[in-house]
Amino acid sequence: MADTATTSGKTEVWRTRAVVRRSTRAWRVRGSAAVVLVLVLAVLLVPPFAQLDQQAVDLTAKLRPPSWAHPFGTDDVGRDLLLRCVYGLRVSLLVGVVAAVVATVVGTAVGALAGALGGWPDRLLMRLVDVFASVPHLLLGIFIVAMFRPGVWPVVVSVALTHWLSTARIVRAEVLSLRSRPYVDAAISGGASRHRVAVRHLLPGVLPQAGLAAVLMVPHAVWHESALSFLGLGLPTHQASLGTLVQSARGSLLAGDWWPTLFPGLCAVVATLAIAGLAGAWRERLNPRRRSELML
Amino acid sequence: MLELRDVTAGYDRRAPVVRGVSLTVRVGEAVGLLGPSGCGKSTLARVAALLHRPDAGQVVLDGEPAAGWRHRAPRAQRTSFGVVFQQPRLSADPRLPLARLIAEPLRANGRPVDAVPELAETVGLTADLLGRRPHEVSDGQLQRACLARALALRPRWLVCDEMTAMLDASTTAALVGVVEAYRRESGAGLLAVGHDRVLLERWCDRTVGWAELTSA
Amino acid sequence: MTPPTEPTPGGTVLSVRGLCVRFEMRDGSYVRAVTDASFDLAAGECLALVGESGCGKSVLASALLGLLPANASVAGSAVLGDAGSGAGGLDLLAADERVLAREVRGRRVGLVPQSPVAHLTPVRTVRSHLDETVRALTGTSGPDGVRAAAGRAAFPEDHLDRHPHQLSGGLAQRAATALALVGDASLLLADEPTTGLDRDLVERTVDELRRHTGDHRALLLITHDLAAAGRIADRVAVMYAGRLVEITDAAAFFGAPGPRHPYARGLLNALPERDFAPVPGLPPELGALPEGCAFAPRCDRASEACATVPELTSGVACHHVAVARA
């Protein structure tokens, strides 16, 4: 790429490298943001405003393939799958977001305490993390939901309690690294209390990392909810979630009807990719070398 | 008077980098501590500023032994030191604009922050730079802000650990000039740690080599 | 690839003409980091590029190596190799990334990095670094090549199996220099090679760089350390706010009659062995340069003449020096 500009009477030919990469990245971010926006608006606005009943059974129209009237087709009792997917995504995202937030809060608290206190509290908390981490987390999740009746909240608790470990480790490592920075020394020398150092200097330094971990955890939690529901341990089957939709479509898939399985699965994949795309852009921004446009 | 008595310190008790070192900075005196990099002189500077707990030995401020280190040091004792480190990028909280950076010690002690413009002027920072964050200014400008922060509480001792190692000649001379002007006006003592003999001898009343300090 | 022929002593190794670098900021405006830099570098010569932090000297080095970020663009030319001798005059600014990666970096331009320990992979020994570089650049392998490469930078053979963190600052610097020398490049580019080193080590490092320059290489030493520059440079280029304001013989610059540009004089006088007095004020923002001479706001000789940008004539860009000579 070259363009010309005239300064002080001389014509300069400007050359630059790698323009393409920058703009494709911008488009990827915009695409992800648009998809996330559409999904969020759909799950927030369609259920309260659309005068449609997702549970409306129409046995005369069961297992219709996709058409204009039913873009995603209908299921084995004639319910519209597009509407079921919107309700399913609503429940799945709710579970995902709440579980991710709870897991991040727990993980950040444990990690920050361990990193800031050091010594035996650090060792104790980190051994606790190791104990949790030594059990496969899907297994632990199944164990937790199995203790309760099927419903949304046991699934949230189960996913949250199995996912705070990595956040705790990330936050602890970050706090340990920040704590040894000279700017913390300077704050202590300036008379800052322990509380002030933790709240003003350490926590703001780790929150972006923790926030990023939370966003990346949302799709992961959605998949966990789907897995638990698919195994029949998560949500009751009449409650639409992406997992229960796929689970109840198993029978029709064997008969060759693909759409009741494909569309809920596609919803989960698209939501995951879009959220991960946004999180990727955020991670780029966190990188301090990227933050500065001028290299001096 | 700032006295370091028989200080042994390091990061591993079995292999301390500072062994039995004693050093005195008299009231208003500027002492240069000269040594090769990695010899332990920065550790000694951190001990002197009550930022690192020594394995053995004492730090005595005007006849009164230091009561603790880091947060365990009484606020009055630890704020009687202004410290400036070698790398301004690591010494500045990356999220704080320079004005907040300079005001941080004032806020931490509940003092009014209206002294900030004057502090900034002392170190030669212009008003338009005060709203910027560390990644938007040069190393030299950031180190000026770090020096202003060190002076904010009007400390009785300044500890400058390789303050000018990353800086060009003009900025070095400017920062040393600021430190000296402050010392003339306040009578503060100085412990300047570095490896540049020419600089320390020009700057300080007396310069001590690391080797003489550890052999004594 | 034909091996670049060895430049003859005195032949031009690098010829930079009208080099400009600008960065496009997020709001669409441009910041000029380097403006209209022109200089020549001959074989056997060491040119020291000095200036305050943020004056654009490191950007210039990155431009020569094609290592600028995506929002930067360049203008002008930087021809490597003697165009007249047929050694292949290659414009570094116009060359594409493949040419730069395969033929230039390491082979025709050796980079001595700012922080040698960060430049080396922490989990690999010095021997494995050298071995890989020797194999990649010369096509030969085996212990002889590695020993020869280490020997050239006076890196002790019994330290070859150490990892970077086990080396002292001086040895790490020698390891990095050994790597830079493997490709037998005709141009050595040293970007702040002495930051954070002790005075003794600074002197040893620059002396070694000077020794490697020999008769057939050119050395571009980018530094804020005037003492280091004065020790080894043949010529000095002073950069201020993205422009070269003085290029002159090092002996004249550091000795008599001294620098001619007021900024260069101020910078030199700031040294603790001289007046130890700073140049008043701060360097201007590259994004908001004053009209005309960028140094005028800090200059005690500023007059109306300074409202225009002074041309670099006979080695100095200052209205007053030019007037005095006329």
Side-chain angles (χ1 to χ4, degrees), chain C residues 224-263:
Chain C
H224 68 254
D225 187 337
L226 290 168
R231 197 174 165 88
I232 62 161
D234 300 306
R235 284 194 303 148
V236 184
V238 182
M239 201 164 192
Y240 184 74
R243 284 176 187 272
L244 291 180
V245 294
E246 180 161 359
I247 304 183
T248 187
D249 189 57
F253 187 87
F254 291 102
R260 285 144 70 201
H261 194 279
Y263 170 68

Side-chain angles (χ1 to χ4, degrees), chain C residues 18-137:
Chain C
L19 170 60
C20 304
V21 181
R22 67 178 184 185
F23 291 89
E24 185 179 0
M25 308 310 276
R26 239 167 245 138
D27 60 8
S29 65
Y30 288 101
V31 169
R32 282 177 161 255
V34 179
T35 304
D36 211 11
S38 301
F39 59 88
D40 287 311
L41 203 50
E45 187 183 41
C46 168
L47 174 68
L49 183 58
V50 301
E52 285 169 274
S53 68
C55 74
K57 54 191 196 301
S58 286
V59 175
L60 193 150
S62 303
L64 293 181
L65 288 165
L67 294 175
L68 290 169
N71 66 332
S73 45
V74 293
S77 69
V79 178
L80 185 66
D82 201 336
S85 74
L90 173 74
D91 187 351
L92 293 174
L93 303 184
D96 65 37
E97 176 57 32
R98 250 186 43 196
V99 173
L100 288 173
R102 289 196 184 162
E103 295 174 22
V104 176
R105 290 184 211 126
R107 290 185 165 87
R108 296 182 67 178
V109 182
L111 176 70
V112 182
Q114 174 163 13
S115 143
V117 176
H119 192 71
L120 302 169
T121 311
V123 294
R124 295 175 56 191
T125 62
V126 176
R127 185 189 299 280
S128 91
H129 277 104
L130 278 170
D131 189 43
E132 180 190 57
T133 312
V134 167
R135 216 169 332 137
L137 293 183

Side-chain angles (χ1 to χ4, degrees), chain A residues 179-197 200-202 204-205 288 291-292 294 296, chain B residues 46 49 51 70-72 75 78-79 81-83 85 90-96 100 104-105 107-109 135 149 153:
Chain A
R179 210 171 62 144
S180 64
R181 295 276 168 91
Y183 75 72
V184 172
D185 282 352
I188 294 172
S189 185
S193 60
R194 266 177 224 277
H195 177 256
R196 191 178 173 87
V197 168
R200 293 294 172 92
H201 296 289
L202 296 181
R291 241 181 346 198
S292 174
L294 249 178
L296 289 177
Chain B
R46 279 161 49 87
L51 289 171
R70 295 183 78 81
H71 286 298
R72 292 211 175 84
R75 190 176 274 186
R78 60 181 207 251
T79 55
F81 290 94
V83 287
F85 300 100
L90 300 180
S91 319
D93 190 333
R95 296 164 310 103
L96 297 185
R100 282 288 312 272
E104 195 49 31
R107 285 172 193 267
N109 289 278
H135 69 270
R149 173 180 64 185
L153 297 175

Side-chain angles (χ1 to χ4, degrees), chain A residues 28-39 215 219 267-281:
Chain A
R28 207 164 58 218
V29 172
R30 271 177 233 163
S32 302
V35 170
V36 169
L37 189 72
V38 166
L39 293 180
V215 174
C267 279
V269 172
V270 167
T272 302
L273 289 180
I275 295 173
L278 274 188

Side-chain angles (χ1 to χ4, degrees), chain B residues 24-210:
Chain B
T24 303
V25 181
R26 283 188 292 276
V27 176
E29 189 188 28
V31 176
L33 178 54
L34 186 68
S37 47
C39 72
K41 59 187 193 300
S42 293
T43 309
L44 190 67
R46 279 161 49 87
V47 171
L50 310 184
L51 289 171
H52 184 91
R53 190 162 63 90
D55 300 336
Q58 260 191 330
V59 177
V60 182
L61 317 172
D62 292 328
E64 198 174 319
W69 274 267
R70 295 183 78 81
H71 286 298
R72 292 211 175 84
R75 190 176 274 186
Q77 278 191 348
R78 60 181 207 251
T79 55
S80 61
F81 290 94
V83 287
V84 188
F85 300 100
Q86 176 178 3
Q87 291 177 316
R89 300 269 156 222
L90 300 180
S91 319
D93 190 333
R95 296 164 310 103
L96 297 185
L98 298 197
R100 282 288 312 272
L101 181 86
I102 298 171
E104 195 49 31
L106 298 169
R107 285 172 193 267
N109 289 278
R111 302 214 195 147
V113 295
D114 46 14
V116 170
E118 199 191 317
L119 281 164
E121 205 190 313
T122 316
V123 295
L125 283 176
T126 48
D128 58 314
L129 292 171
L130 292 180
R132 300 213 195 156
R133 290 196 289 168
H135 69 270
E136 295 166 313
V137 299
S138 73
D139 278 1
Q141 290 162 341
L142 193 53
Q143 191 68 303
R144 284 171 193 262
C146 290
L147 177 58
R149 173 180 64 185
L151 297 178
L153 297 175
R154 303 196 53 80
R156 307 224 331 271
W157 291 284
L158 278 168
V159 176
C160 300
D161 181 9
E162 303 264 20
M163 177 175 77
T164 61
M166 317 276 289
L167 307 176
D168 57 87
S170 175
T171 312
T172 298
L175 290 189
V176 169
V178 172
V179 168
E180 288 309 297
Y182 171 73
R183 293 199 328 109
R184 266 196 305 279
E185 167 232 344
S186 67
L190 168 73
L191 178 62
V193 173
H195 57 242
D196 189 336
R197 178 179 291 276
V198 183
L199 171 68
L200 288 183
E201 283 178 351
R202 179 82 190 243
W203 181 2
C204 301
D205 302 324
R206 77 188 162 99
T207 304
V208 198
W210 184 253

